[in-house]
Amino acid sequence: MAGPRYRIELADRAAHRWRVTLTLPAPDAVQDFSLPVWIPGSYLVREFAKHLSGLSARQGRRELPVEQLDKASWRVRCSGRAALVLSYEVYAFDASVRTAWLDDRRAFFNASSLCLRAHGREGERHGLALARVPAGWRVATEMAEAGGGYEAADYDELLDHPFEIGPHWQGEFTAAGVPHRIVVAGAWPSFDGARLLADVQRICEAQIAFWGGAPFPRYSFLLWAVDDGHGGLEHRASTALICARRELPTAAEGAAPGDGYARLLGLFSHEYFHAWNVKRLRPAEFARFDYQRENHTRLLWFFEGFTSYYDELMLLRAGLVDAPRYLKLLAASVNGVLATPGRRVQPLSAASFEAWTKYYRPDENSPNTTSNYYAQGALVALCLDLSLRARRSSLDALMRRLWRATGGGPVGEDEVLAAVRALGGGDLAEQLRQWVHGTGELPLRELLEAAGVAWRDEGRASVAQRLGLRVRESALSGITVTHVLRGGAAEAGGLNARDDILGCNGWRLRRLDDAPALLPAGDATLRLLVSRDQRLVELAVALPPARPAAVALALAGGAPAALRSRRRWLGA
């Protein structure tokens, strides 16, 4: 092979160290290399180079000096055109889908954590070979096999095929004629693999039918089950997933998935939908990635938010949940967004652009100043879908129109708005623009009720909700304030994040919901004793009146036209 070749060795599993040898035929006289600082799909500079050590270079028997240019780039001055060989180690002990892992039970990596980029050679074919894989361990990846190893068409493709290596469970199915594989590492013995295969197959078939075909020849789900965790990262023909073991189905799972298993199926659905929406149909700014710095786009509300809308809707269309259960899942999203004051501060377009510094770096003030392009973006998709359906079209038609118009390639906001204009009119396109560039409330209740879905108040708000607080409670540490929400009684009363609430009205307080019982009749002022940086502080905080805790959604009656629209949307 004339292009870069990587030998990736499971060098020291106990110490979590990979050894990488990069062979570059015919290097330039001054040859630069760099390691990515981020991985597409996860919008944060993660500094993968911090785990790289011992970098050395040679041509034949001659050792060459390596000059570091910046935090993640190096230069080697070569002598002639003989192959240049780099060697280095990478520490890998990050329990996530974004980086790499190595221990005595499992190995996993994204090439963005292990494989230096040879500048000027990115477009050539890249080879990869594994070494010192323990007997009995299997390798799962969608990178093409070649010559006893693996081969990618270019550096971009190299980074888009994660590897799962170990004595994992594996099962296969076919969806719409396309082979699929699920790999699970770390599952409990009670894990029901047949159930997971059957349910995920239904999701895949529904999504392939939605888009009108699969853009890949085969697909792998690489799932790591851990004590506590949840997330995924999309790739062109696979996805890396992590979940809590308790979310996996067991033989005791009922016909309808429990909450944990439904959440896991939603994760499978979300990452699979990304194979179309963000891996191929993608922001124009992502037509070519720059792996050494942030890559900004204002469209994550579309690519993450609209995908979030469809992930649970596809569970309904696949027959894994019914319409009432789907509306319960939708209500949870509505309540989460309505509980975040930042939705009135940061437009979704800005949330997308600032993901690198805000969404992925949250602090105690984040709910007050940021919107969530996943959850709120999904509600924009809901509003757009219901608005289009009222005009005899749908978001389904919009997504497929964009797919066809771009050939499954880069797209800009102007093209999205043009498609909305063609299907729903100029006024709806302008409304969508205001939803994503403004901070007004979405017309959720109005649109849902017009579609035959009842909007009802449910339950009684907790004391934390009434005060505008988020707290952490435990029998040992008591009540700790984690967030003080903008415009609430707690903010007006002077409570701070990281305050420990010790007492109320002269009583020791261990549960915040006990506070109203400590008030004299007719008194609505909580006199709190708070520990703040070792000082004891007394605060008077007004307790607002009781109110409902949340919104509930349910099927309801309505005009015949509304019920017909709802049947097309929910099948009920």
Side-chain angles (χ1 to χ4, degrees):
M1 177 185 290
R5 303 192 303 273
Y6 303 86
R7 182 179 187 270
I8 300 191
E9 178 184 347
L10 289 69
D12 191 334
R13 288 179 285 144
H16 320 296
R17 286 199 295 266
W18 297 88
R19 172 158 286 281
V20 181
T21 303
L22 166 57
T23 302
L24 183 66
D28 289 340
V30 178
Q31 181 65 58
D32 290 347
F33 299 88
S34 61
L35 194 67
V37 303
W38 72 290
I39 183 169
S42 183
Y43 307 105
L44 178 67
V45 172
R46 296 188 181 276
E47 313 292 19
F48 301 134
K50 68 184 178 183
H51 294 306
L52 186 152
S53 62
L55 178 59
S56 64
R58 61 180 171 84
Q59 279 184 296
R61 296 183 178 181
R62 182 182 178 190
E63 297 289 331
L64 300 177
V66 178
E67 176 188 359
Q68 186 156 6
L69 303 177
D70 59 30
K71 63 183 180 180
S73 300
W74 296 264
R75 173 170 291 165
V76 180
R77 299 181 186 278
C78 300
S79 176
R81 301 288 282 172
L84 173 63
V85 179
L86 302 186
S87 297
Y88 53 93
E89 290 187 339
V90 177
Y91 177 76
F93 202 54
D94 178 24
S96 82
V97 297
R98 299 175 294 264
T99 52
W101 176 273
L102 182 61
D103 69 5
D104 61 354
R105 294 179 178 272
R106 171 183 179 264
F108 170 84
F109 68 87
N110 291 286
S112 49
S113 289
L114 299 188
C115 295
L116 287 169
R117 174 169 63 94
H119 291 204
R121 309 290 289 273
E122 296 90 344
E124 299 178 19
R125 301 196 72 81
H126 285 56
L128 187 151
L130 298 172
R132 296 182 62 184
V133 176
W137 283 27
R138 295 193 282 187
V139 178
T141 183
E142 285 305 321
M143 191 178 294
E145 296 186 24
Y150 302 88
E151 188 174 287
D154 52 29
Y155 188 76
D156 287 334
E157 186 185 347
L158 180 78
L159 267 54
D160 218 7
H161 291 301
F163 279 71
E164 177 70 41
I165 307 166
H168 46 248
W169 177 92
Q170 179 174 307
E172 297 183 354
F173 63 86
T174 299
V178 178
H180 290 66
R181 167 175 57 180
I182 300 178
V183 169
V184 182
W188 281 329
S190 57
F191 161 56
D192 187 347
R195 171 70 181 271
L196 183 64
L197 286 169
D199 290 346
V200 174
Q201 179 184 32
R202 293 165 71 175
I203 294 169
C204 296
E205 288 175 340
Q207 294 197 19
I208 292 172
F210 173 91
W211 289 103
F216 37 73
R218 54 177 292 122
Y219 191 92
S220 286
F221 297 92
L222 310 178
L223 175 61
W224 186 22
V226 296
D227 180 51
D228 191 22
H230 187 89
L233 189 63
E234 66 274 5
H235 297 278
R236 65 181 64 188
S238 63
T239 178
L241 308 167
I242 189 169
C243 77
R245 292 185 181 95
R246 59 184 176 276
E247 293 180 330
L248 288 168
T250 68
E253 192 81 34
D259 289 344
Y261 183 39
R263 185 172 183 240
L264 176 60
L265 291 174
L267 178 63
F268 271 81
S269 180
H270 183 99
E271 302 304 335
Y272 192 66
F273 199 85
H274 270 321
W276 291 267
N277 194 42
V278 91
K279 292 310 299 182
R280 290 170 174 85
L281 185 67
R282 61 192 184 276
E285 298 88 345
F286 291 177
R288 279 300 283 185
F289 290 123
D290 183 340
Y291 295 111
Q292 304 315 121
R293 57 187 51 82
E294 295 91 339
N295 290 220
H296 293 285
T297 177
R298 299 185 188 276
L299 286 174
L300 294 182
W301 57 267
F302 181 89
F303 290 99
E304 291 292 355
F306 281 34
T307 297
S308 295
Y309 172 63
Y310 275 109
D311 59 24
E312 291 175 344
L313 188 58
M314 286 294 172
L315 302 187
L316 173 67
R317 293 182 179 178
L320 296 170
V321 299
D322 59 15
R325 179 74 176 280
Y326 170 72
L327 291 177
K328 182 179 178 181
L329 295 171
L330 180 59
S333 295
V334 170
N335 287 312
V337 170
L338 294 181
T340 305
R343 74 187 189 281
R344 303 299 305 273
V345 176
Q346 186 189 42
L348 283 172
S349 57
S352 301
F353 194 85
E354 297 179 303
W356 300 84
T357 53
K358 293 190 175 180
Y359 181 82
Y360 278 89
R361 298 181 188 272
D363 60 25
E364 70 279 355
N365 194 46
S366 294
N368 296 322
T369 59
T370 62
S371 57
N372 185 322
Y373 54 77
Y374 284 91
Q376 194 172 331
L379 297 186
V380 167
L382 168 68
C383 290
L384 183 58
D385 195 10
L386 295 180
S387 298
L388 285 167
R389 289 178 184 279
R391 302 177 187 215
R392 300 181 181 275
S393 188
S394 68
L395 188 58
D396 298 4
L398 175 72
M399 300 300 288
R400 289 191 284 261
R401 183 186 183 96
L402 288 169
W403 179 262
R404 290 192 300 269
T406 64
V411 66
E413 183 177 316
D414 287 347
E415 292 162 282
V416 175
L417 293 175
V420 173
R421 194 174 296 113
L423 295 177
D427 60 327
L428 184 55
E430 175 58 23
Q431 182 66 78
L432 174 61
R433 193 192 66 78
Q434 292 178 16
W435 287 340
V436 300
H437 291 283
T439 56
E441 294 285 16
L442 297 172
L444 293 166
R445 182 168 189 167
E446 171 189 342
L447 290 170
L448 285 165
E449 289 181 341
V453 175
W455 177 291
R456 298 170 182 159
D457 293 332
E458 181 178 66
R460 291 174 61 86
S462 67
V463 171
Q465 288 177 300
R466 291 162 66 183
L467 291 174
L469 278 180
R470 295 180 185 175
V471 299
R472 181 177 62 250
E473 294 183 343
S474 76
L476 293 177
S477 59
I479 307 165
T480 299
V481 176
T482 59
H483 302 82
V484 179
L485 301 182
R486 179 189 294 251
E491 183 184 60
L495 277 164
N496 291 348
R498 295 183 290 278
D499 282 350
D500 292 318
I501 301 176
L502 305 178
C504 176
N505 291 23
W507 291 82
R508 181 73 169 95
L509 190 63
R510 299 185 185 280
R511 296 179 62 255
L512 195 56
D513 281 336
D514 291 340
L518 308 179
L519 289 171
D523 188 355
T525 300
L526 302 176
R527 294 168 177 82
L528 300 177
L529 179 64
V530 170
S531 173
R532 179 182 297 166
D533 189 28
Q534 292 190 310
R535 298 179 183 272
L536 296 180
V537 180
E538 293 181 342
L539 300 172
V541 181
L543 179 65
R547 62 175 178 82
V551 168
L553 302 176
L555 298 174
L563 296 182
R564 286 194 296 272
S565 177
R566 189 183 75 194
R567 279 193 292 273
R568 289 192 294 270
W569 173 41
L570 300 180

